């Protein structure tokens, strides 16, 4: 997620302070006319008013229309992973942010997800990650879904992936995870199994935090 945050905020830091103040006032007036105003977003997230202002300026820099479609989202990710192919992972991540399932991400959608990933509790972050892996949204993660996400991460990292990518590495990774997560051996992982396994296993938690860093 650092990639997206960096892209959406890097241009704002280059402006003059006086210009920032004027822009903040103008742009946040626009936010307050959205269905969810600034005060409501501040109450629903773990961001301050000032942080929301900075995030909104960056969001508008990249997305003047006020919404992000999937192609724009993929373009943003491609800038940060030039040695790999982030398109598949960006597709799944976009779907995780697109909570309305309408093919676009509004500022409200973006900051709600970002608040969870950056400021949420461990449980909040693990639940968000679970829903990312649950591609078909049936409330379970199967091996095929987890393999899809893990392979997409390896593809995105490209030649810098560690350990060096071999054809069966994603499968081995998933097999090891499932051995620990699927407590009742029914072939799928529930939310509670996922959270419990990550909380009980330090190595698994570190792996999930590593994946979180590319969000």
């Amino acid at each position: 997620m650092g990639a997206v945050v960096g892209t959406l905020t890097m241009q704002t830091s280059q402006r003059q302070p006086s210009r920032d103040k004027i822009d903040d006032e103008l742009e946040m007036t626009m936010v307050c006319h959205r269905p969810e105003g600034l005060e409501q977003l501040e109450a629903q997230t773990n961001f301050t008013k000032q942080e929301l202002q900075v995030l909104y300026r960056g969001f508008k820099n990249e997305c003047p229309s006020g919404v992000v479609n999937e192609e724009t989202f993929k373009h943003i990710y491609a800038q940060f992973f030039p040695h790999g192919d982030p398109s598949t992972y960006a597709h799944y991540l976009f779907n995780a942010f697109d909570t309305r399932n309408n093919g676009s991400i509004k500022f409200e959608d973006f900051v709600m997800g970002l608040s969870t990933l950056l400021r949420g509790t461990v449980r909040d972050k693990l639940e968000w990650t679970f829903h990312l892996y649950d591609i078909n949204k049936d409330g379970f993660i199967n091996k095929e879904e987890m393999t899809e996400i893990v392979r997409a991460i390896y593809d995105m990292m490209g030649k810098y992936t560690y350990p060096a990518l071999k054809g069966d590495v994603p499968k081995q990774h998933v097999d090891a995870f499932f051995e620990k997560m699927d407590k009742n051996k029914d072939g799928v992982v529930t939310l509670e199994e996922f959270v419990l396994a990550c909380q009980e296993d330090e190595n698994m938690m570190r792996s999930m935090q590593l994946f979180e860093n590319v969000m």
Side-chain angles (χ1 to χ4, degrees), residues 180-206:
K180 296 178 180 179
M181 289 183 176
D182 185 13
K183 301 293 187 181
N184 61 1
K185 309 303 178 186
D186 63 352
V188 295
V189 172
T190 65
L191 173 60
E192 290 305 318
E193 286 177 325
F194 181 85
V195 171
L196 183 61
C198 289
Q199 291 178 332
E200 287 180 343
D201 191 302
E202 185 176 342
N203 291 329
M204 192 176 298
M205 181 69 82
R206 277 201 298 265

PDB file of all heavy atoms in Angstrom, residues 180-206:
ATOM      1  N   LYS A 180      -0.979 -25.384   8.249  1.00  0.00           N
ATOM      2  CA  LYS A 180      -1.136 -24.781   9.567  1.00  0.00           C
ATOM      3  C   LYS A 180      -2.509 -24.135   9.762  1.00  0.00           C
ATOM      4  O   LYS A 180      -3.030 -24.090  10.880  1.00  0.00           O
ATOM      5  CB  LYS A 180      -0.043 -23.732   9.785  1.00  0.00           C
ATOM      6  CG  LYS A 180       1.356 -24.310   9.807  1.00  0.00           C
ATOM      7  CD  LYS A 180       2.401 -23.221   9.970  1.00  0.00           C
ATOM      8  CE  LYS A 180       3.808 -23.814   9.998  1.00  0.00           C
ATOM      9  NZ  LYS A 180       4.847 -22.765  10.134  1.00  0.00           N
ATOM     10  N   MET A 181      -3.090 -23.634   8.669  1.00  0.00           N
ATOM     11  CA  MET A 181      -4.343 -22.884   8.793  1.00  0.00           C
ATOM     12  C   MET A 181      -5.587 -23.759   8.823  1.00  0.00           C
ATOM     13  O   MET A 181      -6.525 -23.495   9.568  1.00  0.00           O
ATOM     14  CB  MET A 181      -4.481 -21.888   7.631  1.00  0.00           C
ATOM     15  CG  MET A 181      -3.545 -20.714   7.693  1.00  0.00           C
ATOM     16  SD  MET A 181      -3.870 -19.573   6.314  1.00  0.00           S
ATOM     17  CE  MET A 181      -2.728 -18.251   6.702  1.00  0.00           C
ATOM     18  N   ASP A 182      -5.602 -24.776   7.987  1.00  0.00           N
ATOM     19  CA  ASP A 182      -6.809 -25.601   7.835  1.00  0.00           C
ATOM     20  C   ASP A 182      -6.895 -26.603   8.978  1.00  0.00           C
ATOM     21  O   ASP A 182      -6.588 -27.785   8.834  1.00  0.00           O
ATOM     22  CB  ASP A 182      -6.779 -26.301   6.471  1.00  0.00           C
ATOM     23  CG  ASP A 182      -8.055 -27.070   6.186  1.00  0.00           C
ATOM     24  OD1 ASP A 182      -9.043 -26.867   6.914  1.00  0.00           O
ATOM     25  OD2 ASP A 182      -8.061 -27.859   5.227  1.00  0.00           O
ATOM     26  N   LYS A 183      -7.360 -26.115  10.126  1.00  0.00           N
ATOM     27  CA  LYS A 183      -7.333 -26.914  11.352  1.00  0.00           C
ATOM     28  C   LYS A 183      -8.146 -28.207  11.239  1.00  0.00           C
ATOM     29  O   LYS A 183      -7.726 -29.259  11.720  1.00  0.00           O
ATOM     30  CB  LYS A 183      -7.868 -26.082  12.524  1.00  0.00           C
ATOM     31  CG  LYS A 183      -7.104 -24.797  12.794  1.00  0.00           C
ATOM     32  CD  LYS A 183      -5.704 -25.041  13.294  1.00  0.00           C
ATOM     33  CE  LYS A 183      -5.024 -23.745  13.706  1.00  0.00           C
ATOM     34  NZ  LYS A 183      -3.637 -23.946  14.186  1.00  0.00           N
ATOM     35  N   ASN A 184      -9.310 -28.132  10.606  1.00  0.00           N
ATOM     36  CA  ASN A 184     -10.162 -29.326  10.539  1.00  0.00           C
ATOM     37  C   ASN A 184      -9.996 -30.112   9.245  1.00  0.00           C
ATOM     38  O   ASN A 184     -10.750 -31.045   8.969  1.00  0.00           O
ATOM     39  CB  ASN A 184     -11.634 -28.943  10.727  1.00  0.00           C
ATOM     40  CG  ASN A 184     -12.131 -27.994   9.642  1.00  0.00           C
ATOM     41  OD1 ASN A 184     -11.385 -27.619   8.730  1.00  0.00           O
ATOM     42  ND2 ASN A 184     -13.392 -27.597   9.742  1.00  0.00           N
ATOM     43  N   LYS A 185      -9.008 -29.699   8.425  1.00  0.00           N
ATOM     44  CA  LYS A 185      -8.634 -30.432   7.212  1.00  0.00           C
ATOM     45  C   LYS A 185      -9.815 -30.645   6.257  1.00  0.00           C
ATOM     46  O   LYS A 185      -9.963 -31.709   5.665  1.00  0.00           O
ATOM     47  CB  LYS A 185      -8.014 -31.795   7.567  1.00  0.00           C
ATOM     48  CG  LYS A 185      -6.892 -31.725   8.589  1.00  0.00           C
ATOM     49  CD  LYS A 185      -5.766 -30.815   8.133  1.00  0.00           C
ATOM     50  CE  LYS A 185      -4.668 -30.703   9.179  1.00  0.00           C
ATOM     51  NZ  LYS A 185      -3.621 -29.715   8.817  1.00  0.00           N
ATOM     52  N   ASP A 186     -10.638 -29.602   6.093  1.00  0.00           N
ATOM     53  CA  ASP A 186     -11.771 -29.723   5.179  1.00  0.00           C
ATOM     54  C   ASP A 186     -11.500 -29.082   3.821  1.00  0.00           C
ATOM     55  O   ASP A 186     -12.391 -28.977   2.982  1.00  0.00           O
ATOM     56  CB  ASP A 186     -13.035 -29.118   5.796  1.00  0.00           C
ATOM     57  CG  ASP A 186     -12.898 -27.618   6.063  1.00  0.00           C
ATOM     58  OD1 ASP A 186     -11.776 -27.079   5.903  1.00  0.00           O
ATOM     59  OD2 ASP A 186     -13.911 -26.993   6.439  1.00  0.00           O
ATOM     60  N   GLY A 187     -10.252 -28.632   3.611  1.00  0.00           N
ATOM     61  CA  GLY A 187      -9.878 -28.098   2.307  1.00  0.00           C
ATOM     62  C   GLY A 187     -10.110 -26.615   2.114  1.00  0.00           C
ATOM     63  O   GLY A 187      -9.760 -26.055   1.059  1.00  0.00           O
ATOM     64  N   VAL A 188     -10.674 -25.949   3.117  1.00  0.00           N
ATOM     65  CA  VAL A 188     -10.869 -24.501   3.049  1.00  0.00           C
ATOM     66  C   VAL A 188     -10.485 -23.883   4.388  1.00  0.00           C
ATOM     67  O   VAL A 188     -10.466 -24.559   5.421  1.00  0.00           O
ATOM     68  CB  VAL A 188     -12.331 -24.122   2.697  1.00  0.00           C
ATOM     69  CG1 VAL A 188     -12.697 -24.592   1.300  1.00  0.00           C
ATOM     70  CG2 VAL A 188     -13.296 -24.665   3.738  1.00  0.00           C
ATOM     71  N   VAL A 189     -10.176 -22.589   4.346  1.00  0.00           N
ATOM     72  CA  VAL A 189      -9.800 -21.867   5.564  1.00  0.00           C
ATOM     73  C   VAL A 189     -10.867 -20.821   5.858  1.00  0.00           C
ATOM     74  O   VAL A 189     -11.219 -20.013   4.986  1.00  0.00           O
ATOM     75  CB  VAL A 189      -8.429 -21.174   5.390  1.00  0.00           C
ATOM     76  CG1 VAL A 189      -8.122 -20.271   6.579  1.00  0.00           C
ATOM     77  CG2 VAL A 189      -7.328 -22.207   5.219  1.00  0.00           C
ATOM     78  N   THR A 190     -11.403 -20.856   7.072  1.00  0.00           N
ATOM     79  CA  THR A 190     -12.377 -19.859   7.495  1.00  0.00           C
ATOM     80  C   THR A 190     -11.643 -18.621   8.028  1.00  0.00           C
ATOM     81  O   THR A 190     -10.430 -18.652   8.253  1.00  0.00           O
ATOM     82  CB  THR A 190     -13.286 -20.401   8.605  1.00  0.00           C
ATOM     83  OG1 THR A 190     -12.480 -20.654   9.774  1.00  0.00           O
ATOM     84  CG2 THR A 190     -13.969 -21.695   8.160  1.00  0.00           C
ATOM     85  N   LEU A 191     -12.399 -17.555   8.244  1.00  0.00           N
ATOM     86  CA  LEU A 191     -11.807 -16.342   8.807  1.00  0.00           C
ATOM     87  C   LEU A 191     -11.169 -16.624  10.156  1.00  0.00           C
ATOM     88  O   LEU A 191     -10.033 -16.200  10.418  1.00  0.00           O
ATOM     89  CB  LEU A 191     -12.875 -15.251   8.943  1.00  0.00           C
ATOM     90  CG  LEU A 191     -12.445 -13.974   9.679  1.00  0.00           C
ATOM     91  CD1 LEU A 191     -11.285 -13.304   8.959  1.00  0.00           C
ATOM     92  CD2 LEU A 191     -13.629 -13.017   9.807  1.00  0.00           C
ATOM     93  N   GLU A 192     -11.868 -17.349  11.016  1.00  0.00           N
ATOM     94  CA  GLU A 192     -11.328 -17.614  12.344  1.00  0.00           C
ATOM     95  C   GLU A 192     -10.080 -18.484  12.281  1.00  0.00           C
ATOM     96  O   GLU A 192      -9.125 -18.272  13.041  1.00  0.00           O
ATOM     97  CB  GLU A 192     -12.399 -18.275  13.230  1.00  0.00           C
ATOM     98  CG  GLU A 192     -13.537 -17.340  13.612  1.00  0.00           C
ATOM     99  CD  GLU A 192     -13.042 -16.058  14.273  1.00  0.00           C
ATOM    100  OE1 GLU A 192     -12.112 -16.137  15.115  1.00  0.00           O
ATOM    101  OE2 GLU A 192     -13.578 -14.987  13.966  1.00  0.00           O
ATOM    102  N   GLU A 193     -10.066 -19.470  11.396  1.00  0.00           N
ATOM    103  CA  GLU A 193      -8.860 -20.302  11.226  1.00  0.00           C
ATOM    104  C   GLU A 193      -7.694 -19.450  10.749  1.00  0.00           C
ATOM    105  O   GLU A 193      -6.548 -19.608  11.214  1.00  0.00           O
ATOM    106  CB  GLU A 193      -9.137 -21.425  10.225  1.00  0.00           C
ATOM    107  CG  GLU A 193     -10.002 -22.555  10.761  1.00  0.00           C
ATOM    108  CD  GLU A 193     -10.302 -23.615   9.722  1.00  0.00           C
ATOM    109  OE1 GLU A 193     -10.454 -23.266   8.523  1.00  0.00           O
ATOM    110  OE2 GLU A 193     -10.377 -24.809  10.083  1.00  0.00           O
ATOM    111  N   PHE A 194      -7.961 -18.556   9.824  1.00  0.00           N
ATOM    112  CA  PHE A 194      -6.928 -17.685   9.265  1.00  0.00           C
ATOM    113  C   PHE A 194      -6.335 -16.780  10.344  1.00  0.00           C
ATOM    114  O   PHE A 194      -5.110 -16.696  10.512  1.00  0.00           O
ATOM    115  CB  PHE A 194      -7.544 -16.846   8.139  1.00  0.00           C
ATOM    116  CG  PHE A 194      -6.594 -15.920   7.453  1.00  0.00           C
ATOM    117  CD1 PHE A 194      -5.793 -16.361   6.410  1.00  0.00           C
ATOM    118  CD2 PHE A 194      -6.514 -14.584   7.829  1.00  0.00           C
ATOM    119  CE1 PHE A 194      -4.911 -15.497   5.763  1.00  0.00           C
ATOM    120  CE2 PHE A 194      -5.634 -13.715   7.183  1.00  0.00           C
ATOM    121  CZ  PHE A 194      -4.837 -14.170   6.151  1.00  0.00           C
ATOM    122  N   VAL A 195      -7.204 -16.113  11.084  1.00  0.00           N
ATOM    123  CA  VAL A 195      -6.754 -15.192  12.131  1.00  0.00           C
ATOM    124  C   VAL A 195      -5.983 -15.942  13.217  1.00  0.00           C
ATOM    125  O   VAL A 195      -4.897 -15.521  13.641  1.00  0.00           O
ATOM    126  CB  VAL A 195      -7.948 -14.438  12.747  1.00  0.00           C
ATOM    127  CG1 VAL A 195      -7.520 -13.645  13.985  1.00  0.00           C
ATOM    128  CG2 VAL A 195      -8.580 -13.509  11.714  1.00  0.00           C
ATOM    129  N   LEU A 196      -6.534 -17.073  13.658  1.00  0.00           N
ATOM    130  CA  LEU A 196      -5.903 -17.845  14.724  1.00  0.00           C
ATOM    131  C   LEU A 196      -4.520 -18.344  14.309  1.00  0.00           C
ATOM    132  O   LEU A 196      -3.548 -18.243  15.075  1.00  0.00           O
ATOM    133  CB  LEU A 196      -6.784 -19.034  15.105  1.00  0.00           C
ATOM    134  CG  LEU A 196      -6.286 -19.913  16.265  1.00  0.00           C
ATOM    135  CD1 LEU A 196      -6.179 -19.097  17.549  1.00  0.00           C
ATOM    136  CD2 LEU A 196      -7.212 -21.108  16.457  1.00  0.00           C
ATOM    137  N   ALA A 197      -4.416 -18.869  13.085  1.00  0.00           N
ATOM    138  CA  ALA A 197      -3.131 -19.396  12.611  1.00  0.00           C
ATOM    139  C   ALA A 197      -2.078 -18.297  12.531  1.00  0.00           C
ATOM    140  O   ALA A 197      -0.920 -18.503  12.920  1.00  0.00           O
ATOM    141  CB  ALA A 197      -3.308 -20.051  11.239  1.00  0.00           C
ATOM    142  N   CYS A 198      -2.468 -17.126  12.054  1.00  0.00           N
ATOM    143  CA  CYS A 198      -1.510 -16.022  11.942  1.00  0.00           C
ATOM    144  C   CYS A 198      -1.080 -15.521  13.312  1.00  0.00           C
ATOM    145  O   CYS A 198       0.095 -15.194  13.523  1.00  0.00           O
ATOM    146  CB  CYS A 198      -2.121 -14.877  11.138  1.00  0.00           C
ATOM    147  SG  CYS A 198      -2.322 -15.223   9.374  1.00  0.00           S
ATOM    148  N   GLN A 199      -2.021 -15.478  14.243  1.00  0.00           N
ATOM    149  CA  GLN A 199      -1.684 -15.006  15.582  1.00  0.00           C
ATOM    150  C   GLN A 199      -0.828 -15.999  16.352  1.00  0.00           C
ATOM    151  O   GLN A 199      -0.039 -15.611  17.210  1.00  0.00           O
ATOM    152  CB  GLN A 199      -2.968 -14.706  16.361  1.00  0.00           C
ATOM    153  CG  GLN A 199      -3.722 -13.488  15.838  1.00  0.00           C
ATOM    154  CD  GLN A 199      -5.015 -13.227  16.576  1.00  0.00           C
ATOM    155  OE1 GLN A 199      -5.637 -14.149  17.109  1.00  0.00           O
ATOM    156  NE2 GLN A 199      -5.446 -11.979  16.609  1.00  0.00           N
ATOM    157  N   GLU A 200      -0.958 -17.277  16.047  1.00  0.00           N
ATOM    158  CA  GLU A 200      -0.212 -18.314  16.759  1.00  0.00           C
ATOM    159  C   GLU A 200       1.188 -18.534  16.195  1.00  0.00           C
ATOM    160  O   GLU A 200       2.067 -19.022  16.897  1.00  0.00           O
ATOM    161  CB  GLU A 200      -0.973 -19.645  16.692  1.00  0.00           C
ATOM    162  CG  GLU A 200      -2.214 -19.695  17.555  1.00  0.00           C
ATOM    163  CD  GLU A 200      -2.919 -21.042  17.453  1.00  0.00           C
ATOM    164  OE1 GLU A 200      -2.640 -21.800  16.492  1.00  0.00           O
ATOM    165  OE2 GLU A 200      -3.746 -21.334  18.335  1.00  0.00           O
ATOM    166  N   ASP A 201       1.389 -18.188  14.935  1.00  0.00           N
ATOM    167  CA  ASP A 201       2.655 -18.498  14.265  1.00  0.00           C
ATOM    168  C   ASP A 201       3.369 -17.204  13.871  1.00  0.00           C
ATOM    169  O   ASP A 201       2.911 -16.476  12.990  1.00  0.00           O
ATOM    170  CB  ASP A 201       2.387 -19.362  13.028  1.00  0.00           C
ATOM    171  CG  ASP A 201       3.663 -19.932  12.434  1.00  0.00           C
ATOM    172  OD1 ASP A 201       4.557 -19.145  12.078  1.00  0.00           O
ATOM    173  OD2 ASP A 201       3.758 -21.175  12.308  1.00  0.00           O
ATOM    174  N   GLU A 202       4.486 -16.932  14.506  1.00  0.00           N
ATOM    175  CA  GLU A 202       5.222 -15.689  14.258  1.00  0.00           C
ATOM    176  C   GLU A 202       5.712 -15.596  12.813  1.00  0.00           C
ATOM    177  O   GLU A 202       5.668 -14.529  12.201  1.00  0.00           O
ATOM    178  CB  GLU A 202       6.407 -15.586  15.224  1.00  0.00           C
ATOM    179  CG  GLU A 202       7.162 -14.274  15.136  1.00  0.00           C
ATOM    180  CD  GLU A 202       8.273 -14.186  16.181  1.00  0.00           C
ATOM    181  OE1 GLU A 202       8.232 -14.959  17.152  1.00  0.00           O
ATOM    182  OE2 GLU A 202       9.159 -13.342  16.002  1.00  0.00           O
ATOM    183  N   ASN A 203       6.177 -16.709  12.263  1.00  0.00           N
ATOM    184  CA  ASN A 203       6.667 -16.702  10.886  1.00  0.00           C
ATOM    185  C   ASN A 203       5.541 -16.402   9.894  1.00  0.00           C
ATOM    186  O   ASN A 203       5.728 -15.671   8.917  1.00  0.00           O
ATOM    187  CB  ASN A 203       7.314 -18.043  10.534  1.00  0.00           C
ATOM    188  CG  ASN A 203       8.620 -18.267  11.265  1.00  0.00           C
ATOM    189  OD1 ASN A 203       9.344 -17.305  11.564  1.00  0.00           O
ATOM    190  ND2 ASN A 203       8.931 -19.511  11.579  1.00  0.00           N
ATOM    191  N   MET A 204       4.381 -16.982  10.160  1.00  0.00           N
ATOM    192  CA  MET A 204       3.241 -16.744   9.285  1.00  0.00           C
ATOM    193  C   MET A 204       2.797 -15.288   9.369  1.00  0.00           C
ATOM    194  O   MET A 204       2.466 -14.661   8.358  1.00  0.00           O
ATOM    195  CB  MET A 204       2.088 -17.674   9.654  1.00  0.00           C
ATOM    196  CG  MET A 204       0.963 -17.698   8.632  1.00  0.00           C
ATOM    197  SD  MET A 204      -0.309 -18.904   9.068  1.00  0.00           S
ATOM    198  CE  MET A 204       0.636 -20.434   9.021  1.00  0.00           C
ATOM    199  N   MET A 205       2.813 -14.733  10.576  1.00  0.00           N
ATOM    200  CA  MET A 205       2.442 -13.332  10.749  1.00  0.00           C
ATOM    201  C   MET A 205       3.410 -12.429  10.003  1.00  0.00           C
ATOM    202  O   MET A 205       3.007 -11.458   9.347  1.00  0.00           O
ATOM    203  CB  MET A 205       2.424 -12.971  12.231  1.00  0.00           C
ATOM    204  CG  MET A 205       2.025 -11.529  12.506  1.00  0.00           C
ATOM    205  SD  MET A 205       0.283 -11.212  12.132  1.00  0.00           S
ATOM    206  CE  MET A 205      -0.485 -11.824  13.630  1.00  0.00           C
ATOM    207  N   ARG A 206       4.694 -12.754  10.053  1.00  0.00           N
ATOM    208  CA  ARG A 206       5.684 -11.955   9.322  1.00  0.00           C
ATOM    209  C   ARG A 206       5.440 -12.031   7.826  1.00  0.00           C
ATOM    210  O   ARG A 206       5.592 -11.043   7.113  1.00  0.00           O
ATOM    211  CB  ARG A 206       7.103 -12.432   9.663  1.00  0.00           C
ATOM    212  CG  ARG A 206       7.650 -11.853  10.955  1.00  0.00           C
ATOM    213  CD  ARG A 206       9.172 -11.921  10.972  1.00  0.00           C
ATOM    214  NE  ARG A 206       9.637 -13.298  10.903  1.00  0.00           N
ATOM    215  CZ  ARG A 206       9.945 -14.035  11.968  1.00  0.00           C
ATOM    216  NH1 ARG A 206       9.817 -13.523  13.174  1.00  0.00           N
ATOM    217  NH2 ARG A 206      10.373 -15.270  11.838  1.00  0.00           N
TER     218      ARG A 206
END
